[in-house]
Amino acid sequence: MPTTATLGQPTVPPLTHKEREVLHAVGCGLTNTEIADALTLSEGVVDGHLARILAKLELRDRAAAIVHAFDCGLVVPGRGPRVPASPEPRTALRAAPEPQVRISVLGPVRAWREGQPVDLGHLRQQAVLASLSLCSDRTVSQEELLDGVWGLEPPITKVVPVYIYRLRKILRSENATDSVIQRDRCGYRLVPGAVEVDVARMEQLVTAAGAAERAGELAEAVGICTRALDLFRGEPLAGLPGPFAELERLRLTERRIALVQRKLDWQLQLGRHSEAISELWALAVAQPLNEPVAAMLMRALYRTGRQADALTVFERTRRRLADELGVSPSRLLRQTHQMIVRGSDARLAPTTP
């Protein structure tokens, strides 16, 4: 998800060089076996590094580590280190020229050529396009496409060049001589500047929202972040097969949740507690083990005079954590609970990841 700079630029607590390498690899979606091979370590050592990373960053599981690696700039969708981009002027966010081709992956994969929707064919062909779209800053090899779209069951025939040929025809404008998909000796990539992908647009808005936050303009940050979230049209890469789509679906889904949390936290800082409660309830139902969301909901309820409801949220979350994960509430959730029980002002630290 991912990409340009993120909201607030969260920093990583002190990790060793090797732990950062492991976190980067986890964020790229590698298994412990693959990480062990890449870093010349035993799987037991990788397990130990990952356990220490989760403890240091106060993360519950691997999915949370993927999101943190993404948010801290260690990885981008489609793998590889992220290079932060300068925030584009806010005026540019309001009026951007119509691109030749637009591709959306924040939901079922769709594409528009000169403003008109096009038929992208069957799901594996769409998955090839999604892979190129999420790796738009680099060339993707044919082998990488085979591994990412087919996994351990590659096709018998050389189908990738066929899919690329079809996609070139589908996405080529009537009067254009060149395709938006180019090939070199290493593989395929989208022509820079010829295609707009909604993930990149989302991250431009995220960058602008972060700039607004740093300038103290939280209301504008909320508005811009809302526009970024509006680009999601359901489950990212919905229905697409293959390991690549599975990883990116997880990454982008977690990305959306993290952005919702940040937007809601800004709303709470602005004192818009009643406005945030309904969305927090919905998010808490969808993410019953998400403790930062539970803590935010408790704060919002408490500050609108609903102390009993806030304590009910804590008890419900505590039971779910015990029943499903066998763990106790985190320090954040316990602290929120204690401050509400004491009837304090509950001016807690931000609860975003």
Side-chain angles (χ1 to χ4, degrees):
M1 201 103 233
T3 179
T4 54
T6 59
L7 297 175
Q9 285 293 346
T11 57
V12 179
L15 297 178
T16 66
H17 175 71
K18 192 61 68 176
E19 286 168 351
R20 287 179 64 86
E21 287 186 327
V22 171
L23 179 58
H24 174 270
V26 169
C28 288
L30 301 182
T31 66
N32 284 9
T33 300
E34 292 169 327
I35 295 171
D37 291 341
L39 300 181
T40 319
L41 302 171
S42 71
E43 289 192 47
V45 171
V46 172
D47 288 339
H49 281 309
L50 183 55
R52 285 189 292 274
I53 290 167
L54 295 178
K56 286 184 178 182
L57 302 181
E58 297 185 352
L59 301 173
R60 284 291 184 190
D61 52 27
R62 196 182 197 90
I66 290 174
V67 176
H68 196 91
F70 185 87
D71 276 349
C72 290
L74 294 178
V75 294
V76 295
R79 307 177 186 176
R82 180 168 68 205
V83 180
S86 300
E88 63 177 272
R90 294 175 191 170
T91 54
L93 291 175
R94 300 188 181 96
E98 185 73 17
Q100 179 183 345
V101 172
R102 290 189 297 117
I103 298 173
S104 172
V105 298
L106 297 176
V109 176
R110 296 178 182 172
W112 294 262
R113 182 188 62 221
E114 297 179 339
Q116 298 299 313
V118 296
D119 183 356
L120 294 174
H122 57 76
L123 288 178
R124 289 203 189 274
Q125 186 165 290
Q126 293 178 29
V128 169
L129 180 62
S131 297
L132 296 179
S133 299
L134 287 169
C135 303
S136 58
D137 61 341
R138 64 183 180 88
T139 298
V140 184
S141 70
Q142 185 169 178
E143 291 73 20
E144 189 175 347
L145 289 172
L146 286 169
D147 291 341
V149 176
W150 283 270
L152 298 177
E153 298 179 355
I156 299 176
T157 59
K158 294 183 178 180
V159 71
V160 169
V162 175
Y163 287 172
I164 294 294
Y165 172 77
R166 291 175 181 172
L167 289 168
R168 281 174 165 170
K169 289 186 64 177
I170 291 168
L171 299 176
R172 179 180 288 128
S173 301
E174 291 183 5
N175 299 323
T177 57
D178 297 327
S179 170
V180 298
I181 301 176
Q182 65 184 22
R183 180 180 180 178
D184 58 31
R185 61 185 180 83
C186 297
Y188 307 95
R189 66 176 299 173
L190 298 179
V191 176
V195 179
E196 180 184 89
V197 181
D198 59 353
V199 170
R201 180 61 177 165
M202 180 263 290
E203 292 300 337
Q204 289 173 351
L205 290 166
V206 168
T207 299
E213 179 200 23
R214 291 188 292 274
E217 300 172 357
L218 291 187
E220 183 169 359
V222 168
I224 297 173
C225 193
T226 298
R227 291 166 59 190
L229 290 166
D230 285 345
L231 293 174
F232 286 85
R233 300 173 293 99
E235 183 182 53
L237 305 168
L240 290 194
F244 182 90
E246 290 177 9
L247 167 63
E248 295 305 315
R249 191 156 37 240
L250 167 65
R251 194 197 310 264
L252 292 172
T253 297
E254 295 291 342
R255 181 62 167 163
R256 178 186 175 278
I257 293 169
L259 293 180
V260 170
Q261 289 179 231
R262 286 194 173 125
K263 185 197 75 169
L264 291 170
D265 193 70
W266 289 336
Q267 287 179 300
L268 296 184
Q269 292 181 52
L270 289 167
R272 300 178 182 175
H273 304 105
S274 298
E275 179 182 329
I277 283 175
S278 61
E279 194 168 357
L280 278 168
W281 271 120
L283 189 57
V285 169
Q287 297 280 316
L289 301 177
N290 190 320
E291 294 178 86
V293 169
M296 276 196 290
L297 178 57
M298 291 166 64
R299 289 166 55 198
L301 291 168
Y302 174 79
R303 291 179 179 175
T304 53
R306 299 168 61 180
Q307 183 180 23
D309 289 339
L311 296 176
T312 298
V313 170
F314 173 81
E315 184 59 27
R316 181 187 64 193
T317 306
R318 184 193 66 77
R319 288 198 303 267
R320 291 292 293 267
L321 290 168
D323 293 345
E324 298 186 26
L325 298 180
V327 299
S328 301
S330 66
R331 180 169 56 87
L332 169 66
L333 206 58
R334 294 197 308 272
Q335 183 185 44
T336 305
H337 175 257
Q338 291 166 4
M339 296 187 80
I340 291 173
V341 168
R342 292 197 302 264
S344 69
D345 190 40
R347 294 188 182 279
L348 304 178
T351 53
T352 50

